Amino acid sequence: MAHAAPTAPRRHRHLADTTHMSKSALARPLLLGLVYGVYAAFMKRQMGPVDAGNVFYGILCGAIFAACMVALARIGPRLKRELHATAYGAFAGIAFGYLYSLADHSILRAVGLALAVGAGVGLAAFYRYYTRED
């Protein structure tokens, strides 16, 4: 009776197919971009009347946020897990810091909290990618 010889472990990462994104993969960034844009417009308005400038500002912020999320979803799986986690951490830190700076806090406080949020998201993303790698 023949036995199968052990094979060498696979040394390469399984790369996800990023040529096509499902509708749900596009719906999440669009929904989060909508929420981000509405919140940014609300913070920029500061209890004043709603005007066309606030609406345009919210649409612009939401579109940029959603475009960055779609880009991370398409490019991220091709990166190593460390860079992938760092990209999500940097994105979260920048997005949070910008919204926090709209609330008329000092720039030092906004940068400090953005670094804390970015580091937390980056560590959580690294843990997720490290434990679920093929």
Side-chain angles (χ1 to χ4, degrees), residues 11-79:
R11 298 277 181 203
H12 59 85
R13 278 184 71 188
H14 172 71
L15 296 177
D17 181 24
T18 58
T19 59
H20 181 275
M21 292 184 69
S22 67
K23 288 182 181 180
S24 65
L26 288 175
R28 283 182 291 242
L30 291 177
L31 181 63
L32 288 173
L34 175 70
V35 170
Y36 188 86
V38 168
Y39 192 73
F42 174 75
M43 293 299 291
K44 186 74 170 172
R45 182 173 64 104
Q46 296 180 352
M47 299 301 169
V50 176
D51 59 356
N54 288 338
V55 173
F56 178 71
Y57 183 77
I59 291 170
L60 182 66
C61 286
I64 291 171
F65 184 88
C68 289
M69 283 197 71
V70 168
L72 277 175
R74 299 228 7 168
I75 295 170
R78 297 179 196 160
L79 300 173

Side-chain angles (χ1 to χ4, degrees), residues 62-107:
I64 291 171
F65 184 88
C68 289
M69 283 197 71
V70 168
L72 277 175
R74 299 228 7 168
I75 295 170
R78 297 179 196 160
L79 300 173
K80 292 185 178 183
R81 62 180 171 224
E82 295 87 3
L83 290 175
H84 195 183
T86 302
Y88 271 105
F91 174 67
I94 291 168
F96 177 80
Y98 181 69
L99 283 182
Y100 194 77
S101 71
L102 288 177
D104 289 336
H105 292 287
S106 72
I107 190 70

